[in-house]
Amino acid sequence: MNWRRCLFVILSSMFYCEFLGDYIKLNSCSWPALEPNELHAMIIADTHLLGPFRGHWLDKLYREWHMRRAFQAALFLHRPDIIFVLGDLFDEGDMVDHDDFRAYVTRFYSHFRTNIPIISAVGNHDVGFHYKMHPYFMNRFEEQFNNTGVQMYTLRGIHFVLINSMAMENDGCEFCQTAVEELHSVAAKLHCLRNLNTCNDFETIKEHVNYSRPIVLQHFPTYRKSDRSCREHDSLRIEEYREKWEVLSKNSTDWLGKLLHPRLAFAGHSHHYCYSINRWGIEEYTVASFSWRNKVNPSFLMASLNPTKHSVHKCPMLEQPTVYILYIFTGCLCIILIIIDISKWLYSLVRRSKPLIKTQ
């Protein structure tokens, strides 16, 4: 019977779309080759877990299920050494109360469960834009993710500087002033490491060991007018970017470049992938959103790093239209099979009724 074939097709489609598809798609990605002892960093952005106010519960359930499947598939296949999340972990982090925020955090660690270290930058949907940042929002994010300002991490001799983009307005606000002080502290540490013969900061030397130009990670990209300046991008529509909203301001961008003298930069926020040479004259990668809610063809970055070199690959994830088209095709095929079954049944009834008609 065709209904059995239909059931088999449905179950096969579900198995592919909800489990196997992520593994097949992500298996085509690989770590870019560099040198022995390289650090493999998986970089994602804008997971935007929905809260109690926005989006339908089914939207939340289904799209977050696919984020979870994609993340676990990436870990199984590629086993990164470190994972960076470049802000906007939550969609309503600046709107929810204490209990909802704790539920948010529980969901985040449930979806992104791993023993691999995760370092998260803060985004505007986590604590609000500059005008909305409040100690209440900042403190609770800090308690859960240990980062709301400026932090320097050193892994295998590679220095990573995480920055709160919303605190980069240099207008003297409490958070901006703190961020400026922290950035000067990071710059002093880098200067110390660069001049070991004259540096007396033994704690910095012990913690960070040697100098290498840092890698900057933050939520906002550095200043650019639009994605037209990208050497590679996947945005279908080019929009003009506003300083302090979609990108850092020119002044903040230039100031950061002079202060830190970085060699590579990563950001999120735009929800689209972009590879560019920024105002600092270095490579900058804007990471696409990890969620179908923001992008039907999400992706993440796989970076091979050492203290002086880097190589970065974009890894495309299972696309939302692929899943929907496969389900539509499955539904149409099942309808055809059922129609064939019904036609055969009706035909058999007609065949059986013919002798009765002749007898009468």
Side-chain angles (χ1 to χ4, degrees):
M1 296 291 287
N2 280 330
W3 68 266
R4 292 175 180 169
R5 295 177 185 173
C6 178
L7 181 61
F8 174 77
V9 170
I10 290 173
L11 293 176
S12 298
S13 296
M14 290 182 65
F15 180 70
Y16 176 83
C17 292
E18 308 306 327
F19 182 77
L20 188 61
D22 289 302
Y23 288 86
I24 292 175
K25 184 70 174 180
L26 297 183
N27 192 50
S28 64
C29 303
S30 61
W31 294 106
L34 200 58
E35 292 180 357
N37 300 320
E38 63 202 18
L39 179 76
H40 289 158
M42 177 181 175
I43 306 172
I44 69 176
D46 296 278
T47 53
H48 279 268
L49 299 186
L50 286 172
F53 304 114
R54 296 173 179 163
H56 192 272
W57 66 268
L58 186 59
D59 175 35
K60 181 191 302 185
L61 177 69
Y62 190 60
R63 289 178 175 173
E64 290 183 11
W65 160 258
H66 271 279
M67 273 200 295
R68 180 177 186 148
R69 295 303 323 145
F71 183 76
Q72 296 302 328
L75 297 191
F76 177 82
L77 292 169
H78 302 300
R79 304 186 185 280
D81 300 311
I82 187 75
I83 300 163
F84 291 103
V85 186
L86 302 187
D88 281 0
L89 286 64
F90 312 121
D91 194 65
E92 303 166 28
D94 59 337
M95 299 169 61
V96 297
D97 60 21
H98 180 73
D99 291 336
D100 284 332
F101 186 78
R102 288 183 66 86
Y104 242 154
V105 173
T106 300
R107 269 173 52 219
F108 178 84
Y109 283 120
S110 173
H111 292 326
F112 301 100
R113 183 183 296 118
T114 177
N115 293 324
I116 299 168
I118 297 180
I119 299 176
S120 301
V122 65
N124 56 286
H125 279 273
D126 301 318
V127 298
F129 277 105
H130 175 266
Y131 73 91
K132 195 177 180 181
M133 283 194 301
H134 187 277
Y136 176 71
F137 296 141
M138 299 286 281
N139 291 339
R140 69 183 186 182
F141 192 92
E142 173 79 29
E143 288 174 4
Q144 298 296 333
F145 299 100
N146 300 317
N147 180 37
T148 53
V150 176
Q151 298 278 352
M152 185 167 97
Y153 300 89
T154 299
L155 303 167
R156 298 187 192 175
I158 307 164
H159 305 309
F160 299 93
V161 179
L162 268 72
I163 296 173
N164 179 347
S165 300
M166 292 74 69
M168 289 293 102
E169 298 211 3
N170 287 323
D171 62 355
C173 79
E174 175 187 355
F175 302 112
C176 296
Q177 188 60 37
T178 300
V180 168
E181 292 171 0
E182 291 171 340
L183 279 166
H184 279 294
S185 175
V186 168
K189 291 178 180 179
L190 292 170
H191 183 269
C192 166
L193 295 172
R194 196 172 187 177
N195 300 275
L196 290 174
N197 293 333
T198 58
C199 179
N200 296 320
D201 187 350
F202 300 111
E203 184 176 343
T204 293
I205 296 172
K206 181 180 179 180
E207 182 179 359
H208 302 289
V209 186
N210 292 313
Y211 174 78
S212 65
R213 291 174 63 188
I215 297 172
V216 168
L217 302 105
Q218 59 180 329
H219 186 57
F220 286 9
T222 58
Y223 176 79
R224 63 175 182 262
K225 289 184 178 180
S226 71
D227 282 354
R228 291 188 186 91
S229 61
C230 302
R231 297 189 175 187
E232 299 173 6
H233 72 84
D234 63 6
S235 177
L236 296 178
R237 185 176 63 180
I238 302 296
E239 298 179 352
E240 299 296 318
Y241 290 149
R242 300 169 296 170
E243 296 183 51
K244 304 179 182 181
W245 291 94
E246 286 84 35
V247 292
L248 291 185
S249 67
K250 287 182 184 178
N251 290 338
S252 294
T253 297
D254 294 342
W255 176 74
L256 274 174
K258 291 177 182 177
L259 185 68
L260 298 178
H261 194 50
R263 64 183 173 105
L264 181 63
F266 295 98
H269 191 48
S270 74
H271 299 169
H272 302 295
Y273 167 76
C274 167
Y275 163 66
S276 66
I277 303 299
N278 65 13
R279 289 174 66 87
W280 302 337
I282 64 172
E283 293 182 350
E284 178 170 348
Y285 292 86
T286 304
V287 189
S289 175
F290 200 71
S291 171
W292 278 356
R293 187 169 184 269
N294 301 317
K295 194 170 182 65
V296 297
N297 56 333
S299 62
F300 60 91
L301 297 183
M302 300 172 66
S304 296
L305 309 165
N306 68 27
T308 58
K309 298 178 182 178
H310 64 269
S311 186
V312 181
H313 283 181
K314 173 189 173 186
C315 183
M317 297 156 60
L318 185 65
E319 297 183 6
Q320 181 176 271
T322 300
V323 172
Y324 289 177
I325 289 170
L326 185 55
Y327 277 140
I328 291 170
F329 174 79
T330 299
C332 292
L333 182 60
C334 280
I335 290 171
I336 292 171
L337 292 174
I338 291 170
I339 290 173
I340 291 172
D341 262 356
I342 293 173
S343 300
K344 288 181 178 179
W345 178 71
L346 290 174
Y347 180 73
S348 66
L349 284 180
V350 172
R351 294 269 297 180
R352 290 173 188 172
S353 65
K354 282 183 179 180
L356 294 175
I357 294 172
K358 288 180 180 179
T359 303
Q360 292 175 355

